[in-house]
Amino acid sequence: MRFLFPQALLVAVGLVAVPGAAHSHKEIYNFKPEAGGLLGGNYDLLPSLTNLSSMVLGGSFWASSYLQGTNGHQYLIVAHAVKLEGITMRYGAMDITAGGPYRQSAQTVSNYTLTVSPSGASNVSAAGSFFTVSDLADPLSGMRYSAAVPDMRFDITFGYSPVLLYGGFGQFVGAAGALVNEWASPAGRTTGYLVVNGTRVDVDPDRSMTWFDRQWGGAYARWHWYEILLDVDGGRTRVPLGVWNGLDPATGKWRAFATTREEPGVQVVSAVPNITVVPGRSYLSPYTNVTYDLDYVITFEDPSTVLKVSCVVEDQEIHSTPELKAAYEGLIDVSGTYKGKRVTGFGLIEITQFD
């Protein structure tokens, strides 16, 4: 599902700058964590079809940490552990305040250590990095990961915020009719530290947050996925939403939908009839020779919700491993309308080349 909007139309609706205008992003992001824990919002009353306690390593453990450092800089860290034939550990990290560069590492290893506690929590370590449940006695206590990329290493622990259930129930149909299990904690309180060029930077937990995504079962063949945190009513309300745009090889068609957690315990699922590329900005990776479009407009079934997402830095690719092709894991700025109200926000786009 990939279309082009005429430039004049995008300018008219305020979703793109006039030609020649420089792309810019906010100096300071509001990385505010949420309280309430994963099961907030009367989760026990929701007809969820997924098991939030399924923390034995299988499928994907994925985190994007938005961090405020005590040195005044803000950082993005992407951490991903996925079990296929071996364990693939993928990381991306960027000093947002400095405008980059985007540092990354990716490796698939067969020599790894996997510990599973009686509670069903898991701890995986491989090649000097680890991704683990923070308290092995409690699978829903939060997560911790530690790794290194060029000129930076980090040790991050995060808790959970009220759950977002993809598809409204934590399940949806992926490629070839296979069921995908997926849930997210959009803004868990985050602690830890980074070491940047040899200097330790502590994380301010009151101004740092992590979006954690847990997925297993089926998947799409290729996809664009958007994690978005909207500031509504001048920032008084934060609304998280996840948008899937996936290719089903059985039909050759792309299918897009959004899940919005309007408030804890309120999950809203919407068709997304149009995701369009804004012409003018793209990034050709010198590492993989893949071209990534950098600006998109997402139009919901409710036409009063239209969001533009723009990649903040061009090169935000995590390169390939023997088991996984490269993926773009990039910080985005968000603007547009949500239910007719002007909004801004931030988040992350994932563009895969898997097939």
Side-chain angles (χ1 to χ4, degrees):
M1 188 177 299
R2 193 167 172 272
F3 306 93
L4 290 175
F5 269 175
Q7 187 83 357
L9 175 60
L10 292 169
V11 172
V13 299
L15 289 173
V16 69
V18 295
H23 178 67
S24 62
H25 64 276
K26 289 170 275 189
E27 294 295 328
I28 298 176
Y29 292 92
N30 183 12
F31 297 155
K32 59 181 179 184
E34 291 183 321
L38 192 65
L39 305 183
N42 289 314
Y43 172 80
D44 59 318
L45 301 180
L46 296 174
S48 172
L49 297 176
T50 195
N51 178 12
L52 301 187
S53 298
S54 180
M55 285 297 181
V56 177
L57 188 65
S60 171
F61 289 73
W62 194 95
S64 52
S65 295
Y66 303 93
L67 307 175
Q68 177 67 56
T70 51
N71 62 347
H73 283 224
Q74 294 185 316
Y75 299 87
L76 168 72
I77 300 177
V78 175
H80 185 203
V82 58
K83 188 176 187 301
L84 299 170
E85 296 301 321
I87 295 289
T88 297
M89 311 287 276
R90 306 164 63 243
Y91 299 95
M94 179 173 68
D95 183 334
I96 299 170
T97 306
Y102 189 87
R103 303 168 168 94
Q104 64 86 39
S105 70
Q107 55 186 324
T108 300
V109 296
S110 57
N111 183 19
Y112 60 89
T113 300
L114 175 61
T115 303
V116 180
S117 74
S119 68
S122 65
N123 177 1
V124 61
S125 58
S129 64
F130 64 79
F131 209 129
T132 179
V133 173
S134 56
D135 180 356
L136 290 177
D138 179 5
L140 300 183
S141 58
M143 300 289 291
R144 180 185 175 197
Y145 63 84
S146 178
V149 295
D151 301 317
M152 185 186 294
R153 60 185 175 90
F154 37 81
D155 191 318
I156 303 297
T157 299
F158 58 88
Y160 289 142
S161 64
V163 69
L164 182 152
L165 295 168
Y166 287 89
F169 300 101
Q171 281 189 345
F172 58 92
V173 177
L179 283 179
V180 181
N181 297 275
E182 187 176 13
W183 57 266
S185 161
R189 192 172 189 269
T190 302
T191 62
Y193 66 90
L194 310 88
V195 178
V196 184
N197 293 320
T199 300
R200 174 169 169 145
V201 178
D202 290 321
V203 171
D204 181 345
D206 295 324
R207 296 191 292 161
S208 300
M209 48 170 276
T210 295
W211 179 303
F212 175 69
D213 225 77
R214 176 75 176 103
Q215 179 186 347
W216 69 100
Y220 291 112
R222 297 179 64 182
W223 63 84
H224 290 196
W225 172 75
Y226 308 81
E227 126 191 341
I228 296 174
L229 295 120
L230 293 178
D231 286 326
V232 184
D233 295 327
R236 292 188 295 275
T237 303
R238 172 66 56 81
V239 177
L241 60 107
V243 180
W244 271 102
N245 186 22
L247 173 65
D248 187 342
T251 63
K253 296 180 179 180
W254 290 77
R255 180 171 59 218
F257 73 95
T259 306
T260 304
R261 200 209 67 196
E262 292 194 336
E263 57 185 85
V266 180
Q267 316 280 336
V268 176
V269 181
S270 170
V272 177
N274 289 312
I275 297 180
T276 62
V277 175
V278 180
R281 295 180 67 231
S282 62
Y283 170 67
L284 173 61
S285 169
Y287 310 102
T288 60
N289 203 37
V290 173
T291 297
Y292 300 95
D293 295 308
L294 300 179
D295 299 286
Y296 300 83
V297 172
I298 304 171
T299 303
F300 286 58
E301 185 68 23
D302 173 2
S304 68
T305 298
V306 181
L307 303 174
K308 183 194 175 187
V309 302
S310 296
C311 298
V312 171
V313 175
E314 289 187 353
D315 179 6
Q316 300 185 86
E317 180 189 59
I318 297 179
H319 308 159
S320 60
T321 73
E323 287 194 313
L324 284 178
K325 293 185 179 180
Y328 192 95
E329 310 277 4
L331 179 68
I332 54 174
D333 282 336
V334 183
S335 61
T337 58
Y338 172 72
K339 296 185 177 181
K341 297 180 179 180
R342 285 286 180 182
V343 293
T344 58
F346 64 92
L348 188 137
I349 182 174
E350 178 177 73
I351 306 172
T352 73
Q353 303 300 319
F354 310 153
D355 53 27

